[in-house]
Amino acid sequence: MDDKEIVELLYNRDERGVKAAQDKFLKLVLNVCRGILRSPEEAEQCANDTLLRLWEAIPPDRPENLTGYICKIARRLTLNRLRYNTAQMRNSDLLAELEECIPSDYSVERQAELSELTETLNKWLCGLPKKQQTLFTLRYFYAYGVKETAQACGMSKTAATTALMRLRESLKNYLTERGIYHD
């Protein structure tokens, strides 16, 4: 079943849409959740919560890109779970890697800055060669480990680590040039 048919079923409140979404996207959603949480049990719970949120969100939403939409829900739920789990520790290695690029005074409450940062990040990402886009997206959006990211991109772990370091530096420079990041 294609994405448009699944969205139509969900929009019409037909429970077959949830089953179709589960059949098509569960493995992807579990990978996103596992990449962030590293706990199979919690990842499975977040994957199930993602399907519930998908059911609750459509309608009123009618996403054109169901894969991106469901991954975004999964990421948001999983990051919220990670924040809850590490509320006192604040020790996410993945977030620490990007911390050098994202302004330290950034806060979720400032929606205008979030929009600007998102738009700028998307422009930067679209300007990269396809392999670098994939590398960055797998690591920092889907939260794959470096080893898994390297394998998916046909690179050695060392080459992927170096490329990711260079991409973060490129992003930092890009954000600095646009006045979003200040040393």
Side-chain angles (χ1 to χ4, degrees):
M1 184 174 297
D2 75 11
D3 291 3
K4 288 183 181 187
E5 292 172 319
I6 295 171
V7 169
E8 255 335 284
L9 288 172
L10 291 168
Y11 199 83
N12 293 321
R13 307 308 293 160
D14 188 330
E15 291 181 12
R16 292 179 298 164
V18 175
K19 176 69 172 132
Q22 181 179 11
D23 293 344
K24 186 169 184 177
F25 297 110
L26 186 60
K27 184 176 179 180
L28 173 64
V29 169
L30 279 170
N31 283 338
V32 170
C33 297
R34 285 182 188 137
I36 296 170
L37 289 174
R38 311 281 190 235
S39 164
E41 296 81 18
E42 286 191 336
E44 192 170 323
Q45 181 61 47
C46 281
N48 290 330
D49 290 348
T50 298
L51 293 171
L52 176 62
R53 289 285 171 89
L54 181 68
W55 175 256
E56 293 170 347
I58 302 174
D61 291 351
R62 194 181 279 229
E64 291 184 29
N65 179 348
L66 188 58
T67 303
Y69 188 82
I70 199 165
C71 285
K72 185 177 179 181
I73 292 171
R75 260 185 106 248
R76 188 178 320 124
L77 287 172
T78 307
L79 287 171
N80 286 342
R81 175 72 58 95
L82 178 66
R83 283 186 198 103
Y84 175 80
N85 290 348
T86 60
Q88 302 227 332
M89 293 182 278
R90 303 283 187 228
N91 64 352
S92 172
D93 294 335
L94 183 61
L95 295 176
E97 285 182 28
L98 278 178
E99 196 171 74
E100 65 190 48
C101 302
I102 306 299
S104 61
D105 62 342
Y106 167 79
S107 70
V108 176
E109 293 77 30
R110 291 192 263 171
Q111 290 299 319
E113 288 180 6
L114 176 60
S115 294
E116 180 184 6
L117 181 60
T118 301
E119 184 179 323
T120 303
L121 179 61
N122 285 335
K123 284 180 184 175
W124 172 79
L125 198 56
C126 288
L128 296 175
K130 188 71 174 162
K131 187 172 185 176
Q132 289 179 333
Q133 287 179 3
T134 303
L135 183 73
F136 191 86
T137 304
L138 288 175
R139 179 70 179 126
Y140 298 114
F141 184 80
Y142 292 108
Y144 280 29
V146 176
K147 183 179 177 183
E148 294 83 8
T149 302
Q151 288 173 345
C153 292
M155 305 170 77
S156 71
K157 184 177 177 183
T158 304
T161 301
T162 302
L164 287 166
M165 180 188 67
R166 289 180 180 152
L167 285 169
R168 289 191 308 271
E169 185 64 29
S170 170
L171 175 58
K172 182 179 177 180
N173 291 338
Y174 189 84
L175 294 174
T176 301
E177 289 169 5
R178 279 141 190 85
I180 295 173
Y181 177 83
H182 307 284
D183 280 324

